[in-house]
């Protein structure tokens, strides 16, 4: 992990409880992605979640009948999830073993977290996630659209966090190079002028 990525994890670690307590309502695009996952995979499918944070999306995925393995690289988020009674693991998708004794997952869900992975490291992360997913399984990722990278201090996290911004063509190239096919990238408006890139792809 780069120094910037480590500093970002430290920032989340200090204010994880505040982040979880102030989680915004689930956006409609996220609800639609959950419905899409269930329609495609069926209830009971196994989902690896990367960057579970306060657990908002895992709860929604489970409400829809999916089975979720919660993980996060930030220890304080994992402590919060455990305090809520969930199993959760501190794991970095760049370096740690996220595999399961039950075999490959049916899907990987990584909302608003891989934007903290340094650009040169994203191909390795997406390749590792493909290796953990059965062929025909799905990936759902959301990152912020833009050029370059930068630090931002906002919301409930007081420390600066490092973000890597992506444009659709470059992101698609990395996804395809990592073994993902049928890549769909949709632009979704966020706060102010912010645009998100919401990705769904299939492990080919
Ligand atoms: C903006 S929060 C999103 C949390 C949750 N997925 C959601 O949508 O509410 C960013 C998440 O990315 C995680 N994260 C930070 N650095 C990361 C990294 N290098 N790789 C993967 N996840 C990271 C944080 O711990 C946090 O859970």
């Amino acid at each position: 992990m780069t120094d910037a990525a480590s500093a970002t994890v430290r920032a989340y670690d200090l204010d994880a409880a505040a982040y979880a307590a102030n989680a915004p309502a689930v956006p409609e695009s996220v609800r639609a992605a959950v419905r899409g996952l269930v329609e495609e995979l069926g209830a009971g499918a196994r989902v690896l979640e990367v960057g579970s944070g306060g657990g908002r999306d895992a709860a929604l995925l489970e409400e829809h009948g999916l089975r979720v393995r919660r993980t996060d690289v930030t220890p304080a988020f994992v402590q919060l999830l455990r305090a809520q009674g969930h199993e959760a693991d501190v794991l970095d998708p760049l370096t740690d073993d996220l595999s399961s004794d039950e075999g490959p997952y049916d899907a990987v869900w990584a909302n608003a977290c891989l934007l903290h992975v340094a650009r040169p490291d994203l191909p390795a992360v997406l390749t590792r996630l493909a290796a953990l997913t059965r062929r025909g399984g799905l990936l759902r990722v959301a990152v912020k659209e833009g050029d370059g990278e930068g630090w931002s201090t906002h919301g409930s996290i007081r420390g600066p966090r490092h973000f890597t911004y992506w444009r659709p063509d470059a992101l698609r190239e990395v996804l395809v190079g990592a073994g993902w096919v049928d890549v769909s990238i949709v632009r979704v408006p966020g706060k102010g002028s912010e645009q998100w890139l919401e990705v769904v792809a299939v492990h080919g």
Side-chain angles (χ1 to χ4, degrees):
M1 189 183 273
T2 60
D3 289 350
S6 300
T8 301
V9 171
R10 283 198 300 279
Y12 279 113
D13 212 37
L14 281 176
D15 285 320
Y19 181 90
N22 294 303
V26 187
E28 179 45 37
S29 64
V30 171
R31 290 188 181 279
V34 170
R35 289 195 296 270
L37 219 61
V38 179
E39 274 164 30
E40 196 65 37
L41 301 174
R46 291 170 52 243
V47 179
L48 168 67
E49 185 176 33
V50 176
S52 293
R56 180 197 75 179
D57 292 357
L60 186 63
L61 290 158
E62 286 180 345
E63 273 171 34
H64 283 75
L66 299 170
R67 291 186 289 152
V68 183
R69 180 177 182 199
R70 293 163 171 81
T71 72
D72 205 296
V73 67
T74 300
F77 278 131
V78 169
Q79 281 160 19
L80 278 177
L81 295 167
R82 288 179 181 161
Q84 292 164 18
H86 300 295
E87 281 184 25
D89 298 297
V90 180
L91 292 171
D92 180 346
L94 177 61
T95 50
D96 291 331
D97 179 5
L98 281 75
S99 65
S100 155
D101 291 345
E102 292 182 59
Y105 300 95
D106 297 303
V108 174
W109 182 274
N111 192 61
C113 59
L114 300 186
L115 71 195
H116 295 309
V117 172
R119 192 178 311 280
D121 288 336
L122 194 64
V125 169
L126 291 173
T127 301
R128 296 182 101 234
L129 296 181
L132 292 161
T133 308
R134 68 165 169 82
R135 295 214 178 263
L138 300 180
L139 171 72
R140 197 271 180 189
V141 167
V143 295
K144 288 188 190 191
E145 185 174 28
D147 297 311
E149 57 190 82
W151 292 92
S152 173
T153 306
H154 63 269
S156 340
I157 307 293
R158 287 167 294 175
R161 288 173 277 167
H162 187 264
F163 291 80
T164 297
Y165 303 105
W166 287 91
R167 293 288 179 193
D169 287 351
L171 185 57
R172 182 183 301 278
E173 196 178 315
V174 175
L175 285 155
V176 169
W180 298 98
V181 300
D182 294 344
V183 176
S184 151
I185 303 180
V186 175
R187 228 180 234 116
V188 176
K191 283 190 210 130
S193 59
E194 195 172 81
Q195 296 278 352
W196 287 85
L197 299 177
E198 299 199 351
V199 175
V200 178
V202 178
H203 184 206

